[in-house]
Amino acid sequence: MKKPRHILTLADLSSAEIERIFSIAEDLKAKWAKGIREPLLPGRVMALLFEKPSLRTRVSFEAGMIHLGGVALFLGEEAGFGRRESVADFARVLSQYVDVIVARTYQHQTVVDLAQYAACPVINGLSDLAHPCQALADLFTLRELFGRLAGRTLAWIGDGNNVARSLAQGCGKLGLRLVMATPPQYRFEEAFLEELRRDTPQLDLVVTDDPVEAVREASAVYTDVWTSMGQEAEAEQRRRAFARYQVNAALMARCQKGAVFMHCLPAHRGEEVTDEVIDGPQSVVVQQAANRMHLQKGLLAWLLGAHT
Ligand code: CP
Ligand code: NVA
């Protein structure tokens, strides 16, 4: 049997494949704007297996699959994932019923295990290591805003977390320079850096502890929560460590003209970003969230072979 293609991190996609997914997403988005919902995946079934809460990832995948003529099944607590049977048995059985699994897990190893035993593709819908669909949608948004991305700079302010790791991989593949302002103890781990260098040796990555330095040449300034889901016990310590890393009007004033503000959402307003910035004219956070659906429709059509 042919081994299924899994998207667990952006190391699983080449630059050319990302471009292909973007072009399908662009086409589907333009059709959707005209009221056309091309049923490319009739009768196809997607399972959404979530260990953590979600608004954007869950609803954008569900709505997108419905637009494509397929069906989405949300499997929450009651499926007993991780409690009633082994991950291997769960994956082997679930993948007999569905065509694709989107999984949101605490540990990245769990999506790796699901993928190892599933007979259908597994897409990572966020793990502690990575959030590939978010980064793809964000790069797609930047493409809409700026056209060609190669040579532009993305500034990351804050935690070197799941979203940051996926953006780093995506920046490497699409030729963006990534400048990260991150406290030393929250930077990328050596193991991830090694993988990043191996997969995208061309990535221009600069790391600093000065947010002003980081945003100076940026076309986009991106931040995320200081405390991700599952890290709640560290919230106080993190608030202290990231206090200097807030994206506020004073920091945005240090950017180039035309720079945009990005956030994957949900935001902790008043911590990593102020209301003034996230609700201000430079903010593209709603466009990013909207593009989750369009991008993932492109990804599903590509991955399930319905769009050539
Ligand atoms: N950005 C994102 O993944 O949001 P959710 O946690 O609501 O899915
Ligand atoms: N870094 C955040 C992203 C949420 C979409 C988290 O993991 O909670």
Side-chain angles (χ1 to χ4, degrees):
M1 200 181 66
K2 197 166 156 257
K3 267 190 91 59
R5 185 80 192 264
H6 305 294
I7 312 297
L8 306 187
T9 74
L10 289 191
D12 294 322
L13 289 171
S14 69
S15 309
E17 287 169 336
I18 293 175
E19 294 291 353
R20 181 74 194 120
I21 292 164
F22 281 7
S23 97
I24 302 170
E26 193 182 4
D27 175 51
L28 293 176
K29 183 174 178 179
K31 288 182 174 140
W32 171 87
K34 290 189 205 144
I36 303 164
R37 295 180 181 187
E38 221 177 345
L40 295 173
L41 301 174
R44 300 294 199 97
V45 183
M46 169 170 60
L48 290 148
L49 183 60
F50 277 39
E51 292 182 337
K52 304 184 204 176
S54 170
L55 170 66
R56 281 144 289 267
T57 307
R58 174 186 177 173
V59 182
S60 59
F61 265 114
E62 287 196 16
M65 193 59 172
I66 293 166
H67 292 171
L68 292 168
V71 166
L73 304 175
F74 184 75
L75 305 180
E77 279 284 288
E78 72 292 345
F81 180 61
R83 291 196 318 273
R84 293 184 67 229
E85 54 197 310
S86 72
V87 172
D89 287 346
F90 198 104
R92 284 188 193 109
V93 172
L94 179 61
S95 59
Q96 299 303 306
Y97 308 136
V98 304
D99 300 289
V100 58
I101 298 169
V102 178
R104 169 167 288 198
T105 64
Y106 281 99
Q107 293 181 7
H108 187 71
Q109 189 57 44
T110 309
V111 281
V112 172
D113 292 344
L114 274 169
Q116 183 180 342
Y117 297 104
C120 70
V122 173
I123 299 174
N124 180 1
L126 181 143
S127 65
D128 58 358
L129 183 85
H131 199 1
C133 300
Q134 180 71 51
L136 285 176
D138 296 336
L139 293 162
F140 180 75
T141 302
L142 287 170
R143 171 66 62 81
E144 284 183 334
L145 291 166
F146 297 116
R148 200 178 131 76
L149 297 182
R152 289 200 176 259
T153 297
L154 176 69
W156 176 270
I157 312 295
D159 193 12
N161 65 11
N162 40 15
V163 175
R165 290 190 202 92
S166 291
L167 281 170
Q169 292 177 315
C171 285
K173 303 218 171 202
L174 299 188
L176 285 104
R177 181 163 171 260
L178 178 64
V179 184
M180 297 181 73
T182 303
Q185 66 275 36
Y186 295 106
R187 291 179 186 167
F188 292 156
E189 315 73 6
E190 199 43 48
F192 175 72
L193 279 172
E194 266 173 40
E195 190 192 321
L196 191 62
R197 282 188 212 111
R198 209 175 26 246
D199 182 48
T200 52
Q202 70 280 19
L203 172 66
D204 184 0
L205 173 66
V206 178
V207 185
T208 167
D209 53 14
D210 180 1
V212 173
E213 163 81 23
V215 303
R216 205 167 29 216
E217 291 177 4
S219 297
V221 177
Y222 202 127
T223 191
D224 185 13
V225 292
W226 294 339
T227 300
S228 285
M229 290 181 277
Q231 299 172 334
E232 290 76 7
E234 302 168 21
E236 203 35 62
Q237 174 191 332
R238 286 172 167 271
R239 257 192 288 275
R240 279 196 299 276
F242 289 108
R244 283 198 309 110
Y245 293 79
Q246 184 184 67
V247 180
N248 50 34
L251 185 64
M252 289 305 290
R254 309 299 288 266
C255 299
Q256 290 186 337
K257 203 166 165 294
V260 297
F261 170 74
M262 304 183 85
H263 194 306
C264 56
L265 303 179
H268 293 168
R269 289 161 175 259
E271 291 196 3
E272 77 276 4
V273 61
T274 58
D275 287 340
E276 198 181 5
V277 169
I278 198 168
D279 297 328
Q282 289 164 291
S283 176
V284 295
V285 300
V286 176
Q287 186 178 344
Q288 287 175 259
N291 277 336
R292 291 292 304 278
M293 182 176 78
H294 302 299
L295 183 285
Q296 288 157 194
K297 284 170 71 175
L299 175 62
L300 289 169
W302 174 79
L303 192 60
L304 301 185
H307 206 294
T308 47

